[in-house]
Amino acid sequence: MKAAHLAHNPHTAYAYWHPRQDAVFVDSVSAWVPDRDTKVRACELYRRNSPPPGVGYDPHLYWSDGPDSPDYHLLRIDPWRVQILRGSDLSSRIWAAESPQNH
C-alpha cells in the first residue's frame, strides 16, 4: 500500500497514540532508500539498539539476508512538522521546519 502511495505522492503522515491519550503526529516527505550502505547501517543500528524484547526485533528474523533481502526496504522520513500532544492536560508542542519544501 505504501509503495503505491509513494509512487504518486511523497507526502506522508504518521501518528503514534498511547492509551493515556499522549500522541505524536508527523507530517513529512518520504522516499525509499536505494543504497546498500545506508540499508546496512540502518539494519545494524536497529538490531543493536532495538528496544527490549516484546517491543523491538532483530530485522534478520524477518529478512534472513538482512539488508540484502529483496523484500527489505528502508524508508527515509524527512519531517517538516511534528506535533506532540500530552493527554493529561491536552498541552501541545509543535515543531516545524524553518522553510518547508513543497508543502
Side-chain angles (χ1 to χ4, degrees), residues 5-78:
H5 174 87
L6 289 175
H8 298 288
N9 184 353
H11 294 90
T12 51
Y14 302 91
Y16 168 81
W17 173 81
H18 186 276
R20 291 187 313 235
Q21 304 306 323
D22 296 332
V24 178
F25 305 97
V26 179
D27 294 316
S28 60
V29 174
S30 298
W32 299 112
V33 176
D35 72 279
R36 184 181 185 281
D37 290 344
T38 302
K39 291 168 103 176
V40 167
R41 182 174 177 269
C43 189
E44 285 305 304
L45 281 171
Y46 198 85
R47 185 185 63 76
R48 285 194 316 261
N49 299 302
S50 185
V55 179
Y57 61 90
D58 180 347
H60 287 86
L61 294 173
Y62 296 94
W63 301 280
S64 59
D65 293 330
D68 292 320
S69 295
D71 57 346
Y72 175 83
H73 303 286
L74 181 62
L75 190 61
R76 178 186 171 116
I77 300 169
D78 292 310

Side-chain angles (χ1 to χ4, degrees), residues 14-18 20-27 81-96:
Y14 302 91
Y16 168 81
W17 173 81
H18 186 276
R20 291 187 313 235
Q21 304 306 323
D22 296 332
V24 178
F25 305 97
V26 179
D27 294 316
R81 182 180 180 276
V82 178
Q83 180 180 10
I84 300 171
L85 179 66
R86 189 170 59 194
S88 61
D89 60 5
L90 297 181
S91 65
S92 177
R93 293 176 41 184
I94 296 176
W95 169 87

